Amino acid sequence: MSSVVTAPSVEVVVIGGGAAGAAFAWRLATAGHEVLCLEQGGWVPPETSPSLSPEWERARQRTHHPNPNVRRHRWDYPIDESDTDIAPLLYNAVGGSTILWGAHFPRLRPSDFRVRSQDGVGDDWPIDYDDLNPYFALNDEMMGVSGLAGDPGNPQRTPRGFGPLPLGDAASRIARAYDEMGRHWWPVDAAILSAEHDGRHGCNMCGPCDLGCPRGARASTDLTYWPKALAAGARLQTEARACRVLSVRGRVTGVEYVTGDGALVHQPADTVVLAGNGLGTARLLLLSATNWCPDGLANSSGLVGRRLMHHPTAMVTGVFPDRVDGFRGPFATTIVSQEYYETDRGRGFVRGFQAQTIRSDGPLGTALGGYGRPVGWGAEHHADFLRQFGHTAGITVTSEDLPDPDNRVTLSNTLRDSSGVPSPALHYKVDANSRKILDFGIERNAEVLRQAGANDVIIAPLVRGAGFHLLGTACMGVDAGRSVVDADCRAWDAPNLLVVDGSVFPTVGAVNPTSTIQAIALRAADRYRGTALPREEVVAHV
Amino acid sequence: MSDPKLIALLDTVIPPGADQPGAGAAGLAARVLDDAAGTPLAAGLDAVLAALPQNFVGSGSADREARLRAVAATDPAAMDAVVNLVYTAYYTDPGVLVSIEALTGYHAGPPQPQGYDLTPFDPETVIRVQLLDPIWRETS
């Protein structure tokens, strides 16, 4: 680091410009607050998406791989994944992991907020579904959501902004199978526009949403929240990697960050807001240990970094005798079944899973097996490839994960980032309850695929590369001894420090968390201002 | 000049098919080496090449496959790296993609900007399921 600069003080500094940080910054900036966001990555123009290049499938395996240890972009930091069953997947840029996501956009269910009182495991949240309900609606409007109201699997919600995305051949067959078996299914809520809106095009069914969307149809917060936040006066500093939150006893005073050219900047602030996901936020809190908090900032409970939760995932892939051309259409967003979401103790486990039908892949993705099993090599390779390519559809079994203090993020003893700052290390094992859920879900969904006409079913019992959801490492609660932040996301140990990302989840349900993360961030911004939307869902106009 | 053992390895992982080239014949050895350079995959490739016997190159295809399967059984992680490298080089090769297009009709170009046409969602499909009783739990 070549020099030290002290910047003028600001009211609020937000660390991380992804799903949560963008929503929080927009909400505060539009209310007239001074907001500066520090983002360690830069802007990723949609028109640079590899989906426009013949090399698109190579990019997915290399430069645009979701695991930063594979991708190794200069904006990334290495992660010690030597002690984890599930590998971390994330992106560092303006927009965060929404740059590379599939945009499946479900909400946690009411029971997900009351796991302890309903099922005797985990912890209840200090807020409930109704607290977040108006923020879900507001966030849906900001992100742009396609879907269909009326799902008997979830509380009633306002009509979706745009009609459902096309199901495609395979998902239509699977939906019919669910119908024949009397099971629940529903077209997904997707943060993908099915029609033009707000300067963004409608989806043209190209497939690889995870490589970015040159049409802007698939939402990412660089396209949704940030333009509006910047227009409202928020400032965004890119290539600014926070390395320490500064504090004195009982309050934070600012942030130290490193710029892209190696300068160390001292940024004073009245309030510091962390939005770096369950990995980055925990890392930063642990890095911010000082005399009055030797075990890490906001860590008097000892829970910073602990209770790391993913969504353990199994993959059940059906091979159909005829073509279903699953490479057509956004890969992650067709239909979902929540038939086995709620607890039934007769199944031998508590909580449950979501079954999400996904499409298939291009030639390389098919050969490498995607989330499933690679095509075999050797003399039978071509026959096996042609049997699978264009002939498969998968169902992901996404399990609830219960909090365990031994599943955690620590600082690595061996790895450091390009600025010499210790990297995070993951320590994570899939627990017995999740394993039972996955095994049950595999059986149920293999039945569905066979009913749908698949003549072969390929099982991946646990997908290691499915660590998109990094949650729980700075949990919210009602007791300072048993949580890191309160219901309004304020740190018990330093109330002018907020955590507004997935770190605050006390439990994680069994659905993709982004809409809930963003609803929490929007609510936290309002609570910072001393206000909140009414608990009933409203149609927001922004 | 490519290593004959590497070319034989590529042709063993993906042999020539009736209508598709083998990975060795497709001239992918240089690309595999470029892709491996500086990555953890290089160690896997080196380990597999080192474990193969000197007469691997001159052996018949069935014998080569048997020898490679023996290596894979003793070092599956290294073989996974080789498979990743070979498949990535092969299935992004323009000539290979053209052969897949000829066999399957799959468009060999990038997915954008043309995308695909799909039949729009039909609301009739949810007639049964929307009549189900709620399957989520009230909490208050």
Side-chain angles (χ1 to χ4, degrees), chain A residues 344-361:
Chain A
D344 177 344
R345 291 187 182 275
R347 298 177 192 142
F349 52 80
V350 291
R351 310 299 295 159
F353 68 89
Q354 162 190 264
Q356 178 184 350
T357 295
I358 65 170
R359 305 179 206 258
S360 57
D361 223 329

Side-chain angles (χ1 to χ4, degrees), chain B residues 50-67:
Chain B
L52 294 172
Q54 280 304 320
N55 63 356
F56 182 75
V57 175
S59 302
S61 58
D63 192 35
R64 286 203 317 263
E65 181 167 333
R67 289 169 186 266

Side-chain angles (χ1 to χ4, degrees), chain A residues 148 179 185-187, chain B residues 121-131:
Chain A
L148 184 68
D179 279 345
W185 70 274
W186 200 255
Chain B
F121 176 78
D122 177 3
E124 297 280 309
T125 58
V126 298
I127 282 178
R128 180 202 69 89
V129 68
Q130 69 186 356
L131 297 176

Side-chain angles (χ1 to χ4, degrees), chain A residues 475-491:
Chain A
C475 65
M476 62 163 61
V478 295
D479 179 346
R482 299 185 61 241
S483 55
V484 177
V485 300
D486 68 13
D488 295 336
C489 299
R490 290 182 181 274

Side-chain angles (χ1 to χ4, degrees), chain A residues 51-58 61-62 72 109-111 114 118-119 130 148 150-156 164-168 178-179 182-187 204-206 208 214-215 323 327-329 338-339 342-343 351 359 362-364 367-368 374-379 381-382 385-386 389, chain B residues 12-18 20-22 31 35-41 64-65 68-69 72 79 83-85 87-92 94 97 100 103-121 123 125-126 128-140:
Chain A
S51 62
L52 287 156
S53 162
E55 294 283 299
W56 66 282
E57 287 207 275
R58 171 187 293 273
Q61 301 303 322
R62 302 290 188 265
R72 300 197 295 181
R109 284 180 168 199
S111 71
R114 293 291 178 267
Q118 294 218 332
D119 296 322
D130 289 336
L148 184 68
D151 177 12
N154 282 273
Q156 192 57 259
L165 296 164
L167 300 188
Y178 282 131
D179 279 345
R183 294 185 190 173
H184 168 264
W185 70 274
W186 200 255
N204 71 345
M205 310 296 139
C206 83
R215 299 173 61 83
R323 284 174 52 169
F327 46 79
R328 301 169 184 258
Q338 297 189 340
E339 179 75 24
E342 303 284 356
T343 294
R351 310 299 295 159
R359 305 179 206 258
L364 177 58
L368 290 174
V375 169
W377 58 268
H381 176 80
H382 293 296
F385 174 82
L386 291 172
F389 179 61
Chain B
T12 308
V13 174
I14 302 181
Q20 304 104 319
R31 194 156 196 190
D35 274 358
T39 77
L41 300 171
R64 286 203 317 263
E65 181 167 333
L68 186 56
R69 291 203 180 279
M79 191 62 205
V83 167
N84 182 296
L85 286 165
Y87 285 11
T88 300
Y90 188 82
Y91 285 106
T92 57
L97 292 175
I100 292 172
L103 284 168
T104 68
Y106 169 80
H107 169 57
Q112 288 283 12
Q114 73 178 45
Y116 296 104
D117 290 326
L118 282 178
T119 305
F121 176 78
T125 58
V126 298
R128 180 202 69 89
V129 68
Q130 69 186 356
L131 297 176
L132 293 177
D133 290 335
I135 58 168
W136 56 277
R137 283 187 287 178
E138 295 272 10
T139 58
S140 57

Side-chain angles (χ1 to χ4, degrees), chain A residues 83-291:
Chain A
D83 184 33
T84 177
D85 289 346
I86 295 177
L89 308 178
L90 55 93
Y91 203 67
N92 297 304
V94 178
S97 296
T98 65
I99 296 294
L100 285 191
W101 69 326
H104 184 208
F105 214 54
R107 304 174 180 180
L108 287 187
R109 284 180 168 199
S111 71
D112 293 324
F113 297 85
R114 293 291 178 267
V115 173
R116 167 60 63 177
S117 56
Q118 294 218 332
D119 296 322
V121 294
D123 292 283
D124 287 352
W125 292 49
I127 58 176
D128 64 17
Y129 183 90
D130 289 336
D131 288 318
L132 293 183
N133 207 0
Y135 295 100
F136 281 132
L138 174 59
N139 189 52
D140 284 356
E141 189 157 336
M142 288 296 292
M143 294 291 280
V145 174
S146 298
L148 184 68
D151 177 12
N154 282 273
Q156 192 57 259
R157 58 189 61 165
T158 51
R160 312 290 71 206
F162 306 89
L165 296 164
L167 300 188
D169 193 350
S172 295
R173 296 183 195 198
I174 292 168
R176 282 196 295 274
Y178 282 131
D179 279 345
E180 291 159 6
M181 301 169 86
R183 294 185 190 173
H184 168 264
W185 70 274
W186 200 255
V188 299
D189 273 3
I192 299 173
L193 298 177
S194 55
E196 188 170 320
H197 170 67
D198 199 20
R200 297 161 53 198
H201 296 288
C203 176
N204 71 345
M205 310 296 139
C206 83
C209 303
D210 55 318
L211 293 178
C213 182
R215 299 173 61 83
R218 191 224 52 190
S220 50
T221 59
D222 59 324
L223 302 180
T224 58
Y225 276 104
W226 273 119
K228 294 179 172 66
L230 296 174
R235 289 185 294 140
L236 175 60
Q237 179 72 47
T238 59
E239 300 202 34
R241 177 178 290 161
C243 51
R244 192 157 67 108
V245 179
L246 304 169
S247 67
V248 296
R249 183 176 298 277
R251 67 185 176 88
V252 296
T253 59
V255 178
E256 278 184 357
Y257 69 92
V258 181
T259 66
D261 55 9
L264 180 65
V265 178
H266 172 204
Q267 176 60 64
D270 298 335
T271 297
V272 175
V273 179
L274 303 186
N277 78 46
L279 186 60
T281 289
R283 176 198 188 203
L284 190 55
L285 290 171
L286 294 171
L287 287 170
S288 303
T290 189
N291 289 342

